[in-house]
Amino acid sequence: MLKFSKRIAVVFFLTLVMASCKQHQEARRPLSQTSGSFMKKSIQRNKKLVATEEQKIIAVIKKDPKIQYLASKKGYWYTYQTRNETDTLTPKKGDVAFFDYEIKDLKGAIIYSEVELRPQIYYVDKQTIMMGLRDGIKLMRKNEKVTFLFPSNMGYGYHGDDKKIGTNQPLICTVTLRDFKTEAAYKKENEAPIKTVAPPAPIKQQVPVISTPEDTINQ
């Protein structure tokens, strides 16, 4: 009888454990469903945001039909102000790019002037910069000037820059690529010893000879 009671107790305990596990598993289901719903809503909001920003950028492009804008595969637009038809090389990973640029809002108001942002020395694909600039600079040739229209996802995104650029703000960036060279060449230039110029030799001053009365008499 005692053994039978123990068996009943063990079975009852195992039943409780299994029931508890089942309830625990069932309690987790709504969380995954909520998470999936949140992701779907987030994707929908992002699509709507992108579409709204694209409409604003297209409105800017339509204001002056004489300006020809090109659409990039990355989702931004650009136009050449100065074009280099001679050179064929463009910056690539392993190069150092030297450029100037300014940032405006879509209404044309300056957010950061070129003077504020000078100088820009960028190790291509090795430094964290605005995503649009990271891609756009690699399209440019030396001495070219290009105006880019960036949606916020190619700029500073949801957070802005915590200074002058706001949340989800599309940007106009005008970039002038001054020069670019390999990292090895740039490093060599900066490590070159500074040539020192030897100081001029001191000028020898002649000591005046003072004649004495005796010298006068001897003469």
Side-chain angles (χ1 to χ4, degrees), residues 73-166:
K73 295 179 181 179
K74 299 288 186 177
Y76 60 86
W77 290 259
Y78 62 100
T79 184
Y80 289 89
Q81 292 191 26
T82 304
R83 195 155 193 174
N84 179 354
E85 300 286 358
T86 305
D87 297 331
T88 57
L89 297 178
T90 57
K92 61 183 183 302
K93 187 173 183 180
D95 289 339
V96 182
F98 308 89
F99 68 97
D100 298 325
Y101 77 115
E102 69 176 9
I103 302 176
K104 298 179 181 179
D105 61 23
L106 291 187
K107 294 180 180 179
I110 294 176
I111 300 174
Y112 290 107
S113 69
E114 185 178 292
V115 175
E116 289 179 274
L117 299 174
R118 286 179 184 171
Q120 292 292 324
I121 301 174
Y122 168 54
Y123 287 77
V124 179
D125 285 346
K126 292 186 177 182
Q127 286 180 277
T128 302
I129 63 171
M130 189 193 310
M131 190 180 296
L133 283 180
R134 182 184 178 115
D135 188 74
I137 285 175
K138 290 187 288 187
L139 299 176
M140 299 178 67
R141 300 169 184 174
K142 183 179 176 181
N143 292 324
E144 285 189 331
K145 188 174 185 178
V146 178
T147 294
F148 297 93
L149 304 180
F150 294 133
S152 63
N153 65 313
M154 297 299 291
Y156 287 86
Y158 174 76
H159 294 287
D161 73 340
D162 298 324
K163 294 178 183 177
K164 296 182 181 181
I165 298 173

Side-chain angles (χ1 to χ4, degrees), residues 185-201:
Y186 180 61
K187 185 177 180 181
K188 188 176 181 180
E189 286 179 5
N190 284 273
E191 289 180 349
I194 300 173
K195 294 182 179 179
T196 56
V197 179

Side-chain angles (χ1 to χ4, degrees), residues 163-215:
K163 294 178 183 177
K164 296 182 181 181
I165 298 173
T167 299
N168 296 326
Q169 185 171 2
L171 301 170
I172 300 175
C173 292
T174 300
V175 183
T176 302
L177 181 61
R178 300 296 181 191
D179 194 9
F180 64 92
K181 58 188 68 176
T182 64
E183 287 184 37
Y186 180 61
K187 185 177 180 181
K188 188 176 181 180
E189 286 179 5
N190 284 273
E191 289 180 349
I194 300 173
K195 294 182 179 179
T196 56
V197 179
I203 299 173
K204 294 182 179 180
Q205 295 182 351
Q206 294 182 350
V207 179
V209 179
I210 303 174
S211 60
T212 63
E214 293 180 357
D215 294 332

